[in-house]
Amino acid sequence: MIEKKSKEKYSISELAGEFNISPRSIRFYEEKNLLNPKRTKGNQRIYAKSDRARLKLIMRGKRFGYSLEEIGEMIGMTSTDFDEIGQINKSLEYGIRKLKEIREAKAELEMMEQDMLKVKDKLMIRLKEIEGANKQAGEGR
Amino acid sequence: MIEKKSKEKYSISELAGEFNISPRSIRFYEEKNLLNPKRTKGNQRIYAKSDRARLKLIMRGKRFGYSLEEIGEMIGMTSTDFDEIGQINKSLEYGIRKLKEIREAKAELEMMEQDMLKVKDKLMIRLKEIEGANKQAGEGR
DNA sequence: ATTATATATTACGTTAACGTAAAGGTTAAG
DNA sequence: CTTAACCTTTACGTTAACGTAATATATAAT
């Protein structure tokens, strides 16, 4: 049997559809060296699973407010050109820094969540106040 | 005794320094109606605690990748012009949506964290491999 | 009062991250 | 083989979020 699993190759618009972005964006990410898909003999882009995974990482970074440059540095970390110990150590350091950032961001998100909950509570209280006042005043129609 | 606590008023550059942004940015946020500080009789901006708190929210939103427009909608939620129940309900809905987003973002951050940790592990393993190889080969100098 | 800073407004410049349009090749379907 | 639906590159346009510079007051320090 020949090797073939589920979905091995994707076209640019397939990925665009899946991630809800434009093909232009994907090409743009390639311009910035965040992606590097193979091509058909007719020069059209074909994305492998690994490319799709990278795009996923890109989108994740974006959703979190990272610039493409930062994302490039982050996912560059996963590239497979570690030939020197120095490189690995640099990557490790970088990763550790990013981990710190991520954890800080998580903490901030939790603060935001708390803020939101507080505002929500206030709104609820205010609602009840108004309802109470209306009840008191007997404002039917 | 006259009422006066700790730090009641801030100048634009004080806030800029505190949040590590430029005065220009702060003025820009004001242009976008995200801030609305009082003025001195000489027309210079004075920021009260509440203004500082708002700026804090703005920065938090930014760090999380929200656009100023979105942030405006979010912190607009905390403004005190809720005179109608409908308004309150709308705000509540909005807040709940945002809460969902925040929780999703938290989940994503956790995924990123896991990714990072995986990559880190791989790098560590690779490092050991190389070290092991060097030991084997006895590559001193 | 006189500087030295800080701030205000106005207005043009810049960068990232695409959007959009033109002009043409490629692939899948009939 | 001929389209229709995609895809390619090239290149100029756009928007958000400021940067920067010029010119003019304001406030703080001496």
Side-chain angles (χ1 to χ4, degrees):
Chain A
M1 30 120 97
I2 307 114
E3 33 200 293
K4 195 185 258 182
K5 298 271 169 68
S6 56
K7 192 80 184 182
E8 280 287 294
K9 309 279 174 197
Y10 307 81
S11 76
I12 193 166
S13 54
E14 273 176 330
L15 285 189
E18 185 173 345
F19 289 98
N20 208 31
I21 56 182
S22 69
R24 172 68 171 103
S25 294
I26 297 182
R27 291 193 194 101
F28 185 71
Y29 300 152
E30 186 176 339
E31 271 182 54
K32 296 289 173 177
N33 297 316
L34 301 185
L35 290 173
N36 208 17
K38 296 264 168 62
R39 303 286 185 128
T40 69
K41 44 184 172 164
N43 198 36
Q44 299 195 180
R45 293 169 177 82
I46 0 176
Y47 298 86
K49 283 225 160 186
S50 62
D51 296 311
R52 184 168 159 285
R54 266 181 102 83
L55 183 51
K56 204 169 196 171
L57 285 180
I58 296 172
M59 297 315 290
R60 188 171 292 161
K62 292 226 66 184
R63 245 164 278 141
F64 188 50
Y66 285 110
S67 71
L68 289 184
E69 196 177 336
E70 288 172 308
I71 294 173
E73 291 169 7
M74 293 180 70
I75 68 178
M77 210 182 75
T78 68
S79 78
T80 51
D81 60 322
F82 307 130
D83 27 70
E84 295 181 357
I85 293 185
Q87 271 298 327
I88 296 184
N89 280 327
K90 272 181 67 178
S91 297
L92 270 176
E93 274 181 48
Y94 192 85
I96 289 170
R97 283 211 312 279
K98 283 302 167 190
L99 259 178
K100 264 191 69 178
E101 280 183 34
I102 287 172
R103 280 166 183 163
E104 283 169 16
K106 269 174 64 181
E108 289 220 58
L109 272 182
E110 260 144 41
M111 295 185 66
M112 281 186 77
E113 191 176 355
Q114 293 312 312
D115 285 353
M116 288 297 226
L117 288 174
K118 273 186 201 164
V119 174
K120 194 181 147 194
D121 283 352
K122 279 192 188 169
L123 286 177
M124 297 290 273
I125 289 170
R126 184 87 186 94
L127 252 186
K128 294 221 168 181
E129 278 174 18
I130 295 177
E131 273 177 23
N134 282 359
K135 216 175 177 181
Q136 270 256 333
E139 283 215 349
R141 43 126 74 243
Chain B
M1 28 115 103
I2 309 116
E3 33 198 296
K4 194 184 261 182
K5 299 273 167 67
S6 58
K7 191 80 185 188
E8 279 287 293
K9 309 279 173 197
Y10 308 82
S11 75
I12 193 167
S13 55
E14 273 176 329
L15 284 190
E18 185 173 344
F19 290 98
N20 209 31
I21 55 181
S22 69
R24 172 68 170 103
S25 294
I26 297 182
R27 291 193 194 101
F28 185 72
Y29 300 153
E30 187 176 339
E31 272 182 54
K32 296 289 173 177
N33 296 317
L34 301 185
L35 291 172
N36 209 17
K38 296 264 167 64
R39 303 287 185 126
T40 69
K41 46 184 171 166
N43 197 36
Q44 298 194 182
R45 293 170 176 84
I46 1 176
Y47 297 86
K49 283 223 161 188
S50 62
D51 296 310
R52 184 169 159 283
R54 266 180 102 83
L55 182 52
K56 203 169 197 170
L57 285 180
I58 295 172
M59 296 316 289
R60 188 170 293 161
K62 292 225 66 184
R63 245 164 279 141
F64 187 51
Y66 284 110
S67 72
L68 290 184
E69 195 177 338
E70 288 172 309
I71 293 173
E73 290 170 8
M74 292 180 71
I75 69 179
M77 210 183 74
T78 70
S79 79
T80 51
D81 62 323
F82 306 131
D83 27 70
E84 295 180 359
I85 293 185
Q87 270 299 325
I88 296 185
N89 280 327
K90 272 183 65 178
S91 298
L92 270 176
E93 275 181 48
Y94 191 86
I96 289 169
R97 281 212 312 279
K98 283 302 166 188
L99 259 177
K100 264 189 70 178
E101 281 183 33
I102 287 173
R103 281 167 182 161
E104 282 170 16
K106 270 174 65 181
E108 289 219 58
L109 272 182
E110 260 143 40
M111 295 184 66
M112 282 186 75
E113 192 176 354
Q114 294 312 311
D115 285 353
M116 287 297 224
L117 288 174
K118 271 187 205 165
V119 174
K120 194 181 147 194
D121 283 352
K122 277 193 190 171
L123 286 176
M124 298 290 273
I125 289 170
R126 185 87 186 93
L127 251 184
K128 295 222 167 180
E129 279 174 16
I130 296 177
E131 274 177 23
N134 281 358
K135 215 176 176 181
Q136 268 255 338
E139 284 216 350
R141 44 123 75 249

